[in-house]
Amino acid sequence: MQFNLLVAACLLYVIFLFAVAFMVERRAAGGRVGWLRSPLVYTLSLSIYCTAWTFYGAVGYAARSGLEFLTIYFGPTLVFIGWWWLLRKLVRIGQQYRVTSIADLISSRYGKSNTLGVIVTLIAVIAATPYIALQLQSVVLSFGVFATGTPDGVTPPDAASTAIWVAAGLAVFTILFGTRNLDAKEQHHGIVTAIAVEAVVKLVALVAVGAFVVWGIAGGVGEIMARIDAAELSAWQVQPGRWTGLIFLSAVAVITLPRMFQVMVVENDDEGHLARASWAFPAYLMLMSLFIVPIAVVGLERLPADANPDMFVLTLPLAEGQGGLALLAFLGGFSSATSMVIVESIALATMISNHIVIPLWLRLRPAPEGQGEDLRGVVLMARRLAIGGVLALGYGYYQVSGGSAALAAIGLIAFLGVAQVLPAMLGGLFWRGATRVGAILGLLTGFVVWSFTSFLPSFGPGAVLSETVFAEGLFGLAWLRPYSLFGTEAMDPITHALFWSLTLNALAFCLGSLLSFPDPVERLQGAAFVKVFEGAVGPQRWARGQAEPEALLSMAQRILGEEEALSLFQAAAREQGKEGYLPDPTPGFLDTLEARLSGSVGAATAHAMISQLVGRATVTVEDLMAVASESAHIMEYSAQLEAREAELTRTAGALREANEKLMQISIQKDAFLSQISHELRTPMTSIRAFSEILTEGDLPPEQVAKYGRIIHDEAKRLTRLLDDLLDLSVLENGTVQLNLGLASLQQMLDTALTAARQTRPERSFTIHRDLPSEAFYIKTDADRLTQVFINLISNARKYCDAPRPELRITVRQRGGRVMVDFVDNGKGIPKSSQALIFEKFARLTDANRAGGAGLGLAICREIMANLGGSIAYLPGQGGAAFRVTLPLRLEKAAA
Amino acid sequence: MPRSNRPLFLARAPYKRRRLRDAARLLPVLGVLLMVLPLMWTPDSRVTLRSWDVAYFFLVWIGLIALAAAFAPGLRAGGGSEDEED
């Protein structure tokens, strides 16, 4: 194969990618995203997980350590097939809070702390540098494969200049499409689509080589199985700890790698895509690994012993004379390397510019009041320089390390480096108690341990860490040896580093979180992130500050550009019902503005810029309480409503009852009126009749005396009736004069019994009393109380219908009150009438009408009310039963 | 925080969906089990690779992917609603 043909193919391929990216950008600019944002493109873009390390390195890995390479794909498979809920939460937060990178996520979660942003950025850059170097190296190696022994006499450039050309070319491509615009959502349609195309190319290439090996060389599946059995590949390094450790590590890395975060979260448009990716991405990984073992086995078998197994994918087709296939494989490997480098450098450049360059710039060159230069230029320039810088770092690392042979080891070390973000990230997503201090401590601890046990030793003994450190430990302390920290020698280096760095990291994170107290912004952000699905907490609330809308506008223009800032402000002003471009700086508007800005420069910077203008740096604890009490208010309000409703129901019930009672009383009153007129009329009639007879004269004197007595008796009856009515009205008005004094209850009952004997004197009544219990004095109006007793006993005498009437009088004292029960053995009062008997003019059956106008109990009730007590009917006592309750000592005031 | 507006019991379809999510959540556990299992078959002396080992892993892998694909539409059905965190 001719080398210049290879270069030409390579250039053509790059031009093709340029064209794809350019066309997509054009479409996206026209708003026609359509299929560009389909689950398929999303899944394919996730495939940047498979870098050149996969494409070339996996075969080498398999040739060296058997099936262990599978662990690198098992981890992501496990995460995607089952833990989409974790990914979905990430994506939801990313969309809701316009997260621009993993550093932005961490910084935003922990109170928009830029310190954290810087730490995560540095860790990511340091961990990614060797990885980028790895990609460069793989491209250089693959060029080298074609360059060796070129028959056409073209002298291929040496490795170093190839690397520099590749790095420069990648930088140009990335800058052109990654930093064309400062998007509010930090999305790059062109690049994502180009990466999806590259994903297809690398899959097709690897599967083509694999198919050629299986069916072209080996001659079928059964044949290849036999060869695998025959080959002396080691199955795996028989260490279950390492096997599971690597699965865990790759599972963590797929979430925390900056480039994975970029395509998975930042470039995501639709959470629903995750559902498709949950099986499609593992399927992609599976297809990528399907032919690794066959290629490794056949390569080991066919190629000379000194051939680099990392390059089998290329050298096998070349050795078999399949130039075209080799070219395809080359393009596949080229795709793997370039797509990874492009996305990684975009992600890192965003982090560097948002968390390091812009904050520094703003600090060093504070804008003059009211105006400042267009920051967008600065941001874009910072990103371009950062992309160049990241690639230069990768190139530098490649030059310094001199292209070490084993790609896989570097990959794992990089994985472990970014994995240090895991505790702070998961803690931030699921634990509201996670604090900034904890996150900083955890990250720093993890970073230091990782550097000491994994990163620095990777340069080899004597390079960074001296050989004595390897042998005797740091400062000569044996428990500080890089590969056996605290004397743990049983693990291999990567498992050892994984175990100690993540354990100590998580420990520091938890301890720091438990022992520190978060500030209000942190607490607000924590609640907003952890409860993102409940939507209970809005974003940061700005208090209405003294910010000048004009200053805000000029600041927004610096970042968003004039046109966009103006339209944003105009829309906000219109929403507030104002004309023009200057809305009031309400909390809501400030939130919107901050969200918009943070899409461009990250949460921490946006927050700092706005708080500079608003004048108050943070929310206060009072604001937090206000947010909390808002929801509490709503709940309280609904509870109040419920209580009010219950009260209304009660009132309605009471009203209904009262109404029924009123109706009955009205009926009774009518009945009574006829009754009372009858009662009044009867004596009046006899008085009139007898007085007429008397006026006629001519009567014997004894007759006159008899008629006179009758007239007198009837007049007395009338008077008594009128007295009762009068008494009742006095009692009801509360104008009665009480004559308080000490009196014996026993005496009062005696008096009452004697007096009541006049009622139906013909009936013999058995009275049950417990004399000792009655022997005490109470302070009350004795006459009035006796009147009540007389009334009750008389009623019993009148109405008790038992053949052998009995009356039981029971006296009890309870807590300063006296209760006197009168229970007879008649049939009692029917339930329907019990509510009425104390009403005026109430009278029950006509059967026992023994005179009286039905005022007795009504008077009793009024008397008892005046005496500070009560009278009630006791149901269920085997007869009519009344309970009189009154205070033992009635004070004047209560009267 | 009280979630008073969440129903304690669900209708049949949401209930099924929630159990489907539970199943999806358990899938990685099954996956880990199956991926680690072969390490326990291997006697310490045997270090060479058998073709059946390769076949086993890929069969497990395909099985997991198929299960995930079967679950995926159900996951999306209630997608975005707030009831699925637990």
Side-chain angles (χ1 to χ4, degrees), chain A residues 383-423:
Chain A
R383 292 211 181 149
R384 286 172 188 146
L385 289 179
I387 288 172
V390 165
L391 283 166
L393 270 180
Y395 175 74
Y397 186 92
Y398 167 74
Q399 283 298 88
V400 169
S401 69
S404 64
L407 296 179
I410 303 182
L412 287 178
I413 289 168
F415 272 22
L416 189 50
V418 293
Q420 302 308 322
V421 179
L422 183 77

Side-chain angles (χ1 to χ4, degrees), chain A residues 865-878:
Chain A
N866 276 291
L867 290 180
S870 61
I871 179 167
Y873 184 77
L874 291 181
Q877 299 297 317

Side-chain angles (χ1 to χ4, degrees), chain A residues 1 6 9 13 55-56 146 200-209 313-314 317 322-335:
Chain A
M1 156 144 295
L6 183 76
Y13 181 64
F55 196 84
Y56 296 123
F146 286 93
V200 176
V201 171
K202 63 194 182 197
L203 182 64
V204 167
L206 201 57
V207 169
V209 173
V313 178
L314 286 181
Q322 299 286 333
L325 188 59
L327 182 62
L328 182 62
F330 172 80
L331 287 181
F334 186 71
S335 296

